[in-house]
Amino acid sequence: MDDRLLHLGRTLDDLDPPRWGRPEADATPLVRKVHALRTVPLGELRPADLRTLVSQQVALPYVLPLAVRLLLADPLLDAYFHEGDLLHAAVRAPAAAWAALPDLHAGLRAAVTALPAPAVADLPRDTAEAVAAFTA
């Protein structure tokens, strides 16, 4: 297990300085949500929260391992929008983030490669394309 998972009682504001503080008064709902999620202990982040943070590329060294842990158990997890939405966010993470997490990359790649072709084909087209690019 990745040692970043030992920090489940800490927040992204603790682990990924500087603290972001409160968003601007005219911030979008997404910006407000991300700011709020940075104050939640890692162990309390839900799949939908992880999908948001990963898709927004926030503190990937901390949130990507948490997302992969869920995806190894259920690669097609429906975090919020549709089946495979957390997977979609994870496989679209930048190569530099995955380079820092080679074991997690290999584990997720193996789990995704093992998915039945019909299951991947049933995913939304952009998700299926992102999965194919990740495993290529």
Side-chain angles (χ1 to χ4, degrees), residues 53-85:
L53 291 165
V54 172
S55 66
Q56 295 302 306
Q57 299 182 13
V58 174
L60 289 176
Y62 298 99
V63 297
L64 207 47
L66 296 171
V68 171
R69 183 172 65 169
L70 294 175
L71 292 169
L72 291 177
D74 182 3
L76 300 178
L77 175 72
D78 180 344
Y80 187 74
F81 290 117
H82 58 78
E83 186 176 53
D85 58 353

Side-chain angles (χ1 to χ4, degrees), residues 25-109:
D26 62 347
T28 66
L30 178 60
V31 169
R32 290 179 187 281
K33 181 176 187 172
V34 171
H35 275 256
L37 290 174
R38 286 186 53 90
T39 67
V40 175
L42 294 183
E44 295 177 21
L45 293 171
R46 300 166 313 195
D49 302 332
L50 293 171
R51 188 207 56 77
T52 298
L53 291 165
V54 172
S55 66
Q56 295 302 306
Q57 299 182 13
V58 174
L60 289 176
Y62 298 99
V63 297
L64 207 47
L66 296 171
V68 171
R69 183 172 65 169
L70 294 175
L71 292 169
L72 291 177
D74 182 3
L76 300 178
L77 175 72
D78 180 344
Y80 187 74
F81 290 117
H82 58 78
E83 186 176 53
D85 58 353
L86 181 58
L87 178 62
H88 184 149
V91 300
R92 295 191 69 222
W98 287 114
L101 304 165
D103 293 343
L104 292 176
H105 181 266
L108 183 58
R109 190 167 189 267

Side-chain angles (χ1 to χ4, degrees), residues 2-15:
D2 195 287
D3 66 348
R4 287 177 224 5
L5 298 180
L6 299 177
H7 300 294
L8 295 177
R10 299 185 66 197
T11 70
L12 292 175
D13 270 353
D14 296 335
L15 297 167

